Amino acid sequence: MSTPERLIESTRELLWERGYVGTSPKAIQQHAGAGQGSMYHHFAGKPDLALAAIRRTAEEMRATAEAVLGGSGPAFARVEAYLLRERDVLRGCPVGRLTMDPDVIASDELRAPVTETLDWLRDRLAGILQKGVEQGEFVASLDPREIASTIVATVQGGYVLARSSKAPAAFDTAVRGLLTLLGACAPSSPTPASSASRANSQ
């Protein structure tokens, strides 16, 4: 791995673990096994390196989500696969955690990849849910954008619950609850008795 790559990957790890303030240039250099001269040869400074790291993390999150959401099959199955995919929930979301970092949120440049990624995820989920509505998987009254926002909020909130309780089960419970609610949005099929009653009345 080249020196710039080591610096970016080290910054990604440290941002995830310590946040922006806790990620000092010295800590990055030690983690990457690079000298101060090497770091400032490739990057203008800590903000420049942090931006490269955040962009890389955002790109990875999109690719991981798309690998599941981009599959074939019914909308519910694709959303379910996304919600149930393997995660290190006790570490939290590497992108979502940045929203709680005041230094990242205060910087338009550092915040942009975070906002763009979460917006992309909501839009991607909304598009899948919209197809589900159009194909009759969900009731016509379901609002794809509202449900997409609920999915993202549940995942991010699930990370918080799991980290707070130090138990992945808290995340799993939130996800199962959401899937139950989403499953309840399927159109109700008429029972044989009700179908027969309608036929006799015609």
Side-chain angles (χ1 to χ4, degrees), residues 135-148:
Q135 293 173 359
E137 277 191 68
F138 305 117
V139 294
S141 59
L142 181 144
D143 187 314
R145 295 198 65 81
E146 288 183 356
I147 300 302

Side-chain angles (χ1 to χ4, degrees), residues 10-181:
S10 295
T11 304
R12 289 179 63 197
E13 284 294 315
L14 292 170
L15 284 173
W16 196 356
E17 295 173 3
R18 307 180 185 182
Y20 186 83
V21 171
T23 303
S24 66
K26 184 176 181 180
I28 295 170
Q29 292 158 25
Q30 291 177 340
H31 195 282
Q36 181 176 347
S38 295
M39 176 176 168
Y40 288 99
H41 172 73
H42 295 288
F43 300 95
K46 174 182 168 179
D48 184 38
L49 182 50
L51 179 59
I54 292 171
R55 283 175 174 165
R56 177 74 60 80
T57 296
E59 290 168 2
E60 186 177 277
M61 179 176 169
R62 289 193 192 198
T64 301
E66 182 58 30
V68 179
L69 295 173
S72 58
F76 182 89
R78 292 162 69 186
V79 172
E80 181 182 43
Y82 167 73
L83 289 171
L84 297 180
R85 75 171 181 80
E86 187 175 350
R87 294 175 169 86
D88 187 357
V89 296
L90 294 183
R91 289 196 72 188
C93 174
V95 172
R97 287 187 66 180
L98 292 171
T99 64
M100 295 180 281
D101 193 314
D103 292 275
V104 172
I105 295 303
S107 168
D108 291 342
E109 192 172 31
L110 294 178
R111 188 179 69 252
V114 177
T115 303
E116 290 166 4
T117 299
L118 293 176
D119 285 347
W120 171 86
L121 182 57
R122 280 197 301 267
D123 290 343
R124 189 72 178 90
L125 287 164
I128 293 170
L129 292 166
Q130 179 62 47
K131 287 185 178 179
V133 172
E134 293 170 357
Q135 293 173 359
E137 277 191 68
F138 305 117
V139 294
S141 59
L142 181 144
D143 187 314
R145 295 198 65 81
E146 288 183 356
I147 300 302
S149 292
T150 302
I151 292 171
V152 175
T154 299
V155 169
Q156 294 301 320
Y159 281 120
V160 172
L161 293 174
R163 285 172 59 79
S164 175
S165 63
K166 294 185 178 181
F171 182 95
D172 298 337
T173 299
V175 164
R176 287 198 304 271
L178 177 58
L179 287 171
T180 298
L181 292 173

Side-chain angles (χ1 to χ4, degrees), residues 190-202:
T191 62
S194 62
S195 297
S197 297
R198 285 200 303 274
N200 291 334
S201 65
Q202 291 177 353

